[in-house]
Amino acid sequence: MCLAVPGRVISIEGDDPLTRQGRVDFGGVVKSVNLAYVPEVRPDDYVLVHVGFAITIVDAREAERVFEYLDMLEP
């Protein structure tokens, strides 16, 4: 089973389309993510991230809905 988690792009670094990196906020945890698969992404966009790669841009409302579901799982 694979898991992709939504996060908000805070900033983008680099010009090379294959190595461009973004700082992505996952509900307070910020990680560096490769943006090669989403060349059109901009800061404040939400992306789905799987094993360190942003694989698609998602609607902010959909991302918030996922965060709400994840909050329900916490004991």
Side-chain angles (χ1 to χ4, degrees):
M1 182 171 106
C2 296
L3 176 67
V5 180
R8 185 177 62 86
V9 177
I10 298 171
S11 64
I12 297 173
E13 299 169 1
D15 295 324
D16 183 335
L18 294 177
T19 60
R20 193 169 73 132
Q21 296 285 308
R23 289 178 37 85
V24 178
D25 180 5
F26 300 95
V29 176
V30 178
K31 297 285 187 179
S32 182
V33 171
N34 184 288
L35 302 174
Y37 299 131
V38 287
E40 68 280 9
V41 74
R42 301 285 177 249
D44 290 324
D45 285 348
Y46 283 85
V47 291
L48 278 182
V49 177
H50 176 65
V51 294
F53 287 83
I55 56 175
T56 190
I57 297 173
V58 294
D59 180 80
R61 182 174 170 191
E62 181 68 21
E64 290 299 329
R65 214 169 85 189
V66 171
F67 293 140
E68 289 171 9
Y69 289 137
L70 291 173
D71 283 341
M72 285 188 235
L73 295 175
E74 289 186 27

